Amino acid sequence: MGGAIATALTVFLAGLAVPASASSGSSDAPTCTAGAHSLGTPGDRLYPDTGNGGYRSLHTEVDTVYDATTNLFLTGNMVQLTDQATQCLSSFSLDFERSSADAVAGPNMTVGSVTVDGVPATFTFVQPTYPGDPVGQDDADPRAHEISQNNPVGGPNQNPLPPACSPELPAPTSPPDVQDGQQCPANKLVITPASPIPDGSSFTVVVGYSGRPGVHADGDGSTEGWFRTADGGFVTTEPVGSEAWMPLNDFPTAKPTYDFYDTVAAGVTAIANGLLVSTSPHPANAQFPGGSVTWHWHSAAPVASYLVENTVGKYSLSQHVSHGITYYEAQDAALSAATQKANLVIMNQQKAITDFESHVSGPYPFSSAGIIVGSTNANFDEEMQTMISFGGGHVGTSLLYHENMHQWWGDNVTEASYNMTFYKEGLATLAQDLYTAHRAAVAAGGPGTAPGNAAFKASLVAQFDALYGNTGDFWDSAPSDPAPSALFSSAATYLRPVAAYLALFQILGSTDFDFALQGIQLTFGGGNIDESELETAFQQWMPNTSIACSQKLSAFFTQWFDTAYPPGGGANRPQITGPGLAGPGFYDQSGGCS
Ligand SMILES: [Zn+2]
């Protein structure tokens, strides 16, 4: 990948040299160019169409005006995105999926107006281009704009180029390559301001839009975004579904802070990230004959693109404050009293779970926490920042440990790219394994007692050994290189990474393992982390700092995160484990790494 980046950059710079020297006569005129239509890197096959360059996302105000009965955004609905230019911009782009092949659950929205710093701007929708195209993002070759989960695209026309976007499949049964070679939809909203935006300046773009929000279809056949419910919409959006209900810079590393002003009919509840600041009632008008209310939520913490919550419907909503953190609990009013009561028993554990996970991950990173339980059958539960969303009407205790752990891993420290999804899913799954070990400790005599502590450690070893014993195709795809159809694969994205963390727990020892995690939170909190940064953080807390041990840990990461093995297990799996674990272990008899 590094070689591919260097090659593309060289071509890009070579292309730039011509206009730069040609315009040297007018030295005062800044060179203003279009912002990149993707934050992907050359060769990406995971959502290479998403994200936008040339600016940083600072703050987003979501002004929702929504009729929950008809599931429509009304006149006045808009987003206000405050960004900072990182180059002189002649134009820039956003991600917005106005329509989809799914005529029922997909979006159907229209952009009415766009302004930049209050001045009307022209806008158009274009297809994405594969990242690194040396011809430029307006490449006239249709092959530069094709769908695939493979690189190169392949398919009937044998396109030698990388994909420009990932497949959008209607059902999990579709072969993942069935759309190979088809044209990507035009979901890039390109905005040309009346005059160029100088490098370094902040600007606010306001996009007014209306119509029906919906869900995005993914390469694994699942959907995410704005799920229609009987009385509103339930929002759960990983990995890219936010663009099916709002225009945004749709990439995990784009993390603006947020304000939400959600105007809905009186009696309807709107739930978003951060803290509920106010609810303001309004008298009846043409849009809301029974009156309306504006719910203002504020997140001072930046929120990654796939963690933006904005659910609307008939919900109970309560809150209480403990040790400076506001805890919210929301449940769909359509759920039976018995179901809500059973859920509440688990939801009430969020503070205790947060305390438990703080011992491993460090102080809770946000000023609020919360859980929202919807009745809709969303495809998955998700770690929406400070407002964990459970679809299907039920909360599970182990899953709550998982989603709550994501508040540190994924939410506060976000993956630098989609292929780092394994990093945060492995750590969230580790919370479930720690919960299992905790229950073993309780059963053995209690945490802090000698038998309890022994049971805790034995449980973690047993959980590693069970995972390491997997055969078949468990080891056949590298966690850091998933196809879109396998991004949320149980083995590669959840179980193999958690086995690696369980091994690291043994290699570093529990204290240094916790220090490594807490150091990552301190260094990368509010931002993102890439794979080499993650691995360096663990290297820094190795008890044996010899070159041999450092090299062995590097090999460990290559085996566990980056290697696809032939099927079978046994010799076809990572051959470095940890002390006391199944497999060859890590240290030699003298504690070294010979
Ligand atoms: Zn997860």
Side-chain angles (χ1 to χ4, degrees):
M1 186 69 77
I5 293 169
T7 304
L9 195 61
T10 305
V11 173
F12 178 68
L13 291 172
L16 270 185
V18 175
S21 58
S23 64
S24 59
S26 53
S27 58
D28 290 338
T31 304
C32 302
T33 52
H37 294 177
S38 168
L39 288 176
T41 52
D44 277 357
R45 57 176 177 163
L46 283 168
Y47 304 102
D49 51 317
T50 62
N52 306 277
Y55 64 88
R56 291 193 307 125
S57 300
L58 302 179
H59 182 73
T60 296
E61 181 176 314
V62 178
D63 297 295
T64 301
V65 183
Y66 175 70
D67 184 337
T69 306
T70 58
N71 191 34
L72 292 174
F73 290 139
L74 306 175
T75 300
N77 185 78
M78 62 184 165
V79 290
Q80 306 191 47
L81 310 151
T82 300
D83 304 320
Q84 182 175 37
T86 55
Q87 65 181 66
C88 183
L89 286 167
S90 56
S91 68
F92 61 94
S93 54
L94 299 170
D95 301 289
F96 192 41
E97 183 178 347
R98 292 163 297 164
S99 60
S100 129
D102 185 340
V104 177
N108 182 12
M109 299 178 288
T110 305
V111 173
S113 64
V114 178
T115 63
V116 176
D117 289 335
V119 179
T122 57
F123 62 93
T124 187
F125 282 89
V126 304
Q127 291 176 279
T129 308
Y130 74 88
D133 184 345
V135 180
Q137 56 195 10
D138 299 321
D139 193 338
D141 185 347
R143 295 178 306 169
H145 314 284
E146 288 185 352
I147 301 170
S148 182
Q149 66 163 357
N150 304 303
N151 178 21
V153 170
N157 65 356
Q158 292 298 304
N159 181 351
L161 302 174
C165 69
S166 292
E168 298 179 22
L169 299 176
T173 51
S174 300
D177 297 335
V178 71
Q179 292 177 340
D180 263 21
Q182 295 180 19
Q183 288 290 301
C184 293
N187 292 343
K188 305 302 297 190
L189 170 54
V190 178
I191 296 167
T192 304
S195 56
I197 300 166
D199 184 11
S201 67
S202 295
F203 60 99
T204 299
V205 53
V206 179
V207 181
Y209 63 104
S210 59
R212 186 189 71 209
V215 294
H216 175 88
D218 281 303
D220 62 359
S222 67
T223 56
E224 83 278 358
W226 188 287
F227 290 88
R228 177 70 167 129
T229 63
D231 53 16
F234 185 78
V235 171
T236 176
T237 51
E238 188 174 9
V240 299
S242 293
E243 66 178 274
W245 66 268
M246 66 179 284
L248 79 163
N249 191 5
D250 198 3
F251 201 82
T253 58
K255 298 177 67 171
T257 55
Y258 273 86
D259 276 290
F260 301 83
Y261 293 90
D262 288 347
T263 301
V264 295
V268 174
T269 302
I271 297 169
N273 311 95
L275 288 162
L276 177 60
V277 178
S278 63
T279 53
S280 307
H282 312 291
N285 62 16
Q287 287 186 332
F288 298 104
S292 64
V293 59
T294 298
W295 296 73
H296 177 197
W297 291 81
H298 172 70
S299 174
V303 185
S305 54
Y306 69 94
L307 300 168
V308 182
E309 182 53 66
N310 198 22
T311 285
V312 178
K314 299 271 176 63
Y315 285 87
S316 63
L317 175 66
S318 65
Q319 68 182 73
H320 68 277
V321 179
S322 176
H323 293 104
I325 298 170
T326 302
Y327 289 84
Y328 294 99
E329 296 180 331
Q331 297 203 63
D332 191 323
L335 298 171
S336 73
T339 296
Q340 292 197 44
K341 190 176 174 187
N343 285 338
L344 208 54
V345 170
I346 299 170
M347 294 163 76
N348 286 342
Q349 297 177 39
Q350 190 178 20
K351 184 193 173 303
I353 292 170
T354 299
D355 290 344
F356 179 81
E357 294 175 344
S358 295
H359 288 121
V360 180
S361 302
Y364 182 72
F366 305 119
S367 56
S368 67
I371 300 166
I372 178 169
V373 188
S375 57
T376 186
N377 282 317
N379 277 157
F380 47 83
D381 306 318
E382 193 186 339
E383 64 269 22
M384 311 308 278
Q385 186 163 305
T386 70
M387 194 60 76
I388 296 164
S389 63
F390 284 91
H394 292 280
V395 179
T397 305
S398 182
L399 264 180
L400 182 53
Y401 273 81
H402 178 108
E403 307 299 351
N404 203 67
M405 187 73 159
H406 272 309
Q407 300 301 308
W408 288 265
W409 308 108
D411 293 24
N412 192 39
V413 179
T414 304
E415 61 278 16
S417 52
Y418 298 102
N419 67 334
M420 283 285 288
T421 299
F422 78 91
Y423 130 78
K424 53 106 176 174
E425 293 304 340
L427 282 166
T429 306
L430 179 66
Q432 297 176 274
D433 290 3
L434 292 169
Y435 171 52
T436 299
H438 175 73
R439 283 183 294 162
V442 170
T449 67
N453 290 347
F456 186 90
K457 291 176 182 171
S459 172
L460 294 179
V461 169
Q463 291 183 77
F464 174 90
D465 290 353
L467 291 168
Y468 194 62
N470 272 294
T471 56
D473 60 3
F474 186 86
W475 307 98
D476 75 349
S477 65
S480 64
D481 185 28
S485 64
L487 180 55
F488 296 98
S489 145
S490 173
T493 301
Y494 294 79
L495 299 179
R496 188 166 149 183
V498 77
Y501 290 125
L502 288 167
L504 283 166
F505 188 87
Q506 301 295 124
I507 295 166
L508 270 64
S510 62
T511 303
D512 284 338
F513 180 81
D514 290 352
F515 279 149
L517 292 186
Q518 292 168 23
I520 292 170
Q521 288 292 313
L522 283 172
T523 305
F524 300 98
N528 63 83
I529 191 168
D530 67 23
E531 187 175 347
S532 78
E533 290 166 336
L534 176 72
E535 294 171 6
T536 298
F538 286 110
Q539 289 275 14
Q540 287 169 345
W541 289 97
M542 276 289 283
N544 185 327
T545 56
S546 68
I547 291 172
C549 284
S550 176
Q551 289 175 338
K552 191 159 189 177
L553 192 61
S554 293
F556 169 93
F557 286 126
T558 301
Q559 292 183 7
W560 281 91
F561 293 161
D562 306 324
T563 304
Y565 293 93
N572 296 329
R573 61 180 171 173
Q575 294 301 309
I576 304 175
T577 59
L581 303 176
F586 193 89
Y587 299 107
D588 58 32
Q589 287 187 334
S590 62
C593 298
S594 56

